[in-house]
């Protein structure tokens, strides 16, 4: 219960011939957002499209290492360009851990600003949209090319205890 709208949005993103290119799904912890993102990657793979689910925190960690080591491979610029130019970008857990810093949100704004309206991007977050960068939320609210979806399901992990 509570995940139907999110499920429908991810199914459309993964299977439609002409999906809205931006999907931002938010909601509480443990309610299946990552599961839906992984299922999206699997469905795209079935269609012959290889894509990885990237944890935003992990990418930011790599970017920090690259900023502090000019000889790092990949470089900061390569990591940023990779997120900006990927044909499909699936970003998980935006706003978790230290990925809610001002710098992290600036990176997110740059990536979404580059990709918006033309390159397929799905993002999951536990954050309320009011806590995310205004430019990202504004683009996500434009229903001509984006879907902003609440996953209001309960924490499934607590059932396993």
């Amino acid at each position: 219960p509570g995940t139907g709208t999110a499920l429908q949005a991810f199914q459309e993103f993964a299977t439609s011939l002409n999906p809205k290119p931006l999907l931002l799904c938010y909601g509480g912890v443990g309610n299946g957002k990552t599961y839906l993102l992984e299922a999206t990657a699997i469905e795209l793979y079935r269609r012959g499209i290889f894509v990885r689910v990237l944890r935003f925190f992990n990418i930011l960690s790599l970017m920090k290492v690259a900023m502090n080591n000019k000889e790092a491979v990949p470089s900061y610029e390569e990591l940023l360009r990779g997120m900006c130019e990927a044909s499909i970008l699936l970003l998980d857990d935006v706003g978790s851990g230290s990925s809610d810093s001002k710098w992290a949100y600036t990176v997110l704004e740059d990536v979404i600003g580059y990709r918006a309206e033309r390159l397929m991007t799905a993002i999951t977050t536990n954050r309320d949209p009011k806590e995310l960068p205004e430019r990202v939320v504004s683009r996500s609210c434009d229903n001509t090319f984006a879907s902003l979806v609440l996953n209001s399901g309960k924490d499934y992990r607590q059932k396993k205890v």
Side-chain angles (χ1 to χ4, degrees):
T3 61
T5 303
L7 173 62
Q8 184 178 355
F10 277 99
Q11 284 176 328
E12 181 180 317
F13 185 89
T15 62
S16 175
L17 295 177
N18 192 22
K20 292 180 180 180
L22 179 58
L23 170 60
L24 174 60
C25 180
Y26 67 100
V29 298
N31 65 5
K33 294 178 304 298
T34 298
Y35 179 85
L36 292 170
L37 207 57
E38 293 285 351
T40 298
I42 292 167
E43 181 58 33
L44 290 168
Y45 180 75
R46 287 183 183 144
R47 294 178 51 203
I49 304 166
F50 179 75
V51 61
R52 287 190 173 108
V53 174
L54 304 175
R55 291 203 62 226
F56 193 53
F57 174 79
N58 293 352
I59 295 298
L60 293 175
S61 296
L62 290 172
M63 292 176 91
K64 286 179 184 177
V65 168
M67 283 190 314
N68 294 321
N69 178 0
K70 298 301 178 192
E71 296 177 18
V73 177
S75 69
Y76 177 88
E77 292 78 14
E78 290 169 327
L79 289 165
L80 183 59
R81 187 174 43 251
M83 283 194 294
C84 287
E85 297 178 355
S87 60
I88 300 174
L89 179 64
L90 304 179
L91 278 181
D92 192 27
D93 278 339
V94 167
S96 68
S98 64
S99 72
D100 67 347
S101 70
K102 186 174 181 174
W103 170 74
Y105 284 162
T106 299
V107 170
L108 181 64
E109 284 181 326
D110 289 345
V111 170
I112 299 305
Y114 184 92
R115 301 181 63 79
E117 301 182 44
R118 55 191 178 88
L119 294 171
M120 289 180 61
T121 310
I123 300 168
T124 65
T125 184
N126 295 333
R127 299 289 182 185
D128 185 288
K130 295 173 190 162
E131 300 174 43
L132 297 172
E134 186 176 1
R135 290 174 51 210
V136 172
V137 175
S138 176
R139 284 192 163 98
S140 301
C141 289
D142 186 338
N143 65 10
T144 59
F145 67 87
S147 297
L148 178 64
V149 179
L150 170 63
N151 182 343
S152 60
K154 303 294 181 216
D155 185 346
Y156 294 110
R157 294 182 196 126
Q158 290 186 8
K159 290 182 181 178
K160 294 179 182 179
V161 176

